[in-house]
Amino acid sequence: MADVVVVGAGITGAAVAHHLARAGASVVVLDRAERPGAGATGRSGGMVRGYDPDPAVAELAVPSLAVFKAAGNWAAGRSPLRVTGAVTVAEPAAEAGLRAAAERLNAAHGTTAHVVAGPAEAAGVGLAGGIALVEPEAGWVAPTEVTEDWLTQARGDGALVRLGTAVRAVHERGGRPVVVTDAGEIRAGAVVSAVGAWGAAPVPGLRSSAPVRSRSIQVTVVGRGPSVPAHATFVDLRTGLYAKPVGRDRTLLGMPHLVWDAAMDAPPDQAHERATVAALTAHFPWLATAPRLDTVRAADAYGAARGDGPASGLLDGTGVPHVWAVRAWNGGGVKTAPEAGRRIAAAVLADAASDAV
Ligand SMILES: Cc1cc2nc3c(=O)[nH]c(=O)nc-3n(C[C@H](O)[C@H](O)[C@H](O)COP(=O)(O)OP(=O)(O)OC[C@H]3O[C@@H](n4cnc5c(N)ncnc54)[C@H](O)[C@@H]3O)c2cc1C
């Protein structure tokens, strides 16, 4: 018997488990894979920033960035944040909104976010006719490192992390969930389904009441020669193009890959790789001669949450009492994970404790 079973040891499940265990709950984390971060998390670029055009995402991303920054939050004793700066490019017409957003970010965190309008470039990123919100204090994290750190903290607080254990079904017995795994059953006060893109597959009792689909995400890593200036992480709201530096000599590039119902292990799409590099040359002219080093394809869960569970919009029901599915992250679940995990854990703890088990 566990207070809460968390299904999925990606960045979402790890964040939830960490907060649950820190609050004193008995927690079991289950993942079908032999290592944490085997899904979207392990392939993710991990770009984190406070700004997002969707206020509901920004509300999670702003406190999450503060958590990533503070060394004291991490078992490793240091912050996982690589501070490279973050550039968000938008239409010139969005200038007033971006200036207001920069003021809000700076008021909340004493940061130096600002708008660049006029110059052709900001923090090493060509703006291609757009303007930019620059967050010098943002950057990227390695999502698997963050996931493993949270699982280390959860174990230290008494959580049991069982890898290589697939959940086959979750059903109700006596008003509470029973989790059926390939290694036996676990009774729980509540269950959190944090299975990412696998939520689109019909595992009884884990599937969200909100429609969720798996969508492909593909990124290409290129070499950056010594004469090329450093650059910040970057996303263009007009096109969905994005990029981030990887160390001193490589850059990761991405462009939306609108392939739905994609498997996590689908092979790379070479035509999309070529199109990605060509499109990003408008922002990084040096790409014209950059060597392509690697292309990684994965998938994330996409869909609009119904918000019919606790944690206002972050959890949906599954049809089984006290079993909650985490909302789809639509390709952005790293930058919101710290605050989302905190809120989900608080709501689920209250639910697990409700009524006598
Ligand atoms: C290439 C790429 C780049 C990205 N870049 C960014 C970025 O720059 N910034 C950002 O914020 N976000 C980014 N994202 C999105 C972000 O990585 C995801 O939103 C996030 O990692 C989702 O985490 P998760 O824990 O919800 O899901 P996942 O990491 O997919 O984890 C789900 C876990 O559930 C387990 N599981 C599934 N079914 C079962 C079962 N039946 N029983 C037991 N275990 C099960 C899986 O093994 C897996 O470990 C990117 C994603 C990709 C793929």
Side-chain angles (χ1 to χ4, degrees):
M1 174 78 201
D3 291 334
V4 184
V5 170
V6 177
V7 186
I11 198 163
T12 307
V16 173
H18 158 53
H19 284 288
L20 286 168
R22 185 58 47 97
S26 66
V27 180
V28 177
V29 182
L30 303 172
D31 201 295
R32 64 195 303 163
E34 298 291 343
R35 60 186 170 84
T41 298
R43 275 90 147 192
S44 175
M47 298 193 296
V48 298
R49 56 191 176 274
Y51 177 72
D52 195 278
D54 178 345
V57 174
E59 189 184 313
L60 299 172
V62 172
S64 290
L65 187 56
V67 171
F68 284 129
K69 260 186 214 168
N73 292 321
W74 303 98
R78 57 182 156 72
S79 161
L81 180 65
R82 276 73 158 177
V83 180
T84 58
V87 169
T88 303
V89 177
E91 293 287 358
E95 184 170 347
L98 290 191
R99 288 197 186 281
E103 275 174 30
R104 280 196 301 276
L105 289 169
N106 294 340
H109 292 297
T111 50
T112 60
H114 56 277
V115 172
V116 173
E121 188 248 43
V125 180
L127 302 184
I131 62 166
L133 172 63
V134 182
E135 296 175 67
E137 292 84 5
W140 61 279
V141 299
T144 304
E145 180 186 312
V146 169
T147 301
E148 285 174 346
D149 194 294
W150 277 330
L151 292 177
T152 299
Q153 295 191 58
R155 283 194 188 95
D157 290 327
L160 198 62
V161 181
R162 285 202 202 155
L163 302 173
T165 307
V167 171
R168 303 294 178 201
V170 183
H171 53 77
E172 180 252 320
R173 191 184 299 150
R176 288 288 167 176
V178 178
V179 180
V180 182
T181 78
D182 48 13
E185 290 185 355
I186 306 171
R187 292 183 61 225
V191 174
V192 178
S193 170
V195 295
W198 282 273
V203 175
L206 287 185
R207 192 170 186 165
S208 172
S209 65
V212 172
R213 287 177 77 185
S214 166
R215 200 179 100 182
S216 177
I217 304 181
Q218 176 170 300
V219 293
T220 293
V221 178
V222 297
R224 203 172 69 239
S227 60
V228 176
H231 63 85
T233 67
F234 145 77
V235 61
D236 190 331
L237 300 179
R238 302 168 301 175
T239 57
L241 295 171
Y242 54 94
K244 72 162 224 203
V246 188
R248 286 187 188 165
D249 57 358
R250 287 173 296 153
T251 289
L252 176 149
L253 312 169
M255 177 168 89
H257 192 214
L258 304 178
V259 178
W260 291 92
D261 307 318
M264 191 62 77
D265 55 358
D269 173 343
Q270 291 181 355
H272 187 70
E273 176 193 296
R274 287 190 293 276
T276 300
V277 176
L280 276 144
T281 306
H283 298 280
F284 300 108
W286 51 269
L287 281 177
T289 55
R292 286 177 211 173
L293 303 179
D294 192 17
T295 290
V296 174
R297 184 169 170 190
D300 199 11
Y302 280 74
R306 290 170 66 177
D308 59 357
S312 53
L314 299 180
L315 294 173
D316 290 301
T318 58
V320 181
H322 308 289
V323 182
W324 309 108
V326 176
R327 61 155 295 176
W329 294 114
N330 301 326
V334 172
K335 64 177 181 289
T336 50
E339 178 65 6
R342 190 188 71 78
R343 292 187 189 191
I344 290 168
V348 170
L349 258 185
D351 176 61
S354 66
D355 314 314
V357 178

